[in-house]
Amino acid sequence: MQEYVTVSSSSYDPASLAKKLNERAAEGWERPDYGIWEVRSDPQHFTYSKLMSWVALDRALKLAEPLGWDGRTERWSREAEAISSTISWTRPTPLTIPPMVLPAPSTICTP
């Protein structure tokens, strides 16, 4: 079942929302989901979802000290490292397309 982070408009605090979202990323990255393209099948493990959870935690760790978010960084760092170890960070091999062999011009157009 999909879980949502909710914030009431009367108590909106950007820092509080950011912390909730990062906690959600730390808790939920291992669960299968429907992905960004709303796949019409059972939830799956999508690399993109895991990558975005890693990005959220990585950025939160960079903001933690200036914003005084002590106490959470140890867990966020541990989860970001776990996500990183599950994602293949190697670049894919470029697709090699053999050169096309075109027929000689004289066989295409005859005068």
Side-chain angles (χ1 to χ4, degrees):
M1 182 161 166
Q2 186 70 31
E3 298 173 22
Y4 298 95
V5 174
T6 59
V7 177
S8 78
S9 59
S10 62
S11 64
Y12 176 71
D13 171 28
S16 175
L17 176 60
K19 285 188 264 187
K20 285 181 181 181
L21 290 172
N22 286 302
E23 284 299 318
R24 175 66 173 92
E27 292 168 5
W29 72 269
E30 291 181 288
R31 289 192 296 246
D33 61 54
Y34 292 100
I36 61 170
W37 304 116
E38 299 179 20
V39 176
R40 307 278 188 231
S41 65
D42 292 334
Q44 302 173 41
H45 289 280
F46 290 99
T47 303
Y48 185 85
S49 299
K50 293 183 185 331
L51 176 63
M52 290 298 104
S53 294
W54 177 84
V55 169
L57 293 170
D58 181 67
R59 300 315 181 264
L61 289 167
K62 291 178 181 179
L63 290 171
E65 187 177 337
L67 296 177
W69 292 350
D70 299 330
R72 299 172 190 266
T73 57
E74 192 174 306
R75 177 172 185 230
W76 291 348
S77 180
R78 188 175 58 247
E79 294 299 328
E81 183 60 36
I83 296 169
S84 179
S85 69
T86 65
I87 296 174
S88 173
W89 293 98
T90 58
R91 294 175 62 150
T93 306
L95 177 62
T96 305
I97 301 173
M100 289 182 58
V101 178
L102 299 175
S106 63
T107 61
I108 297 174
C109 302
T110 54

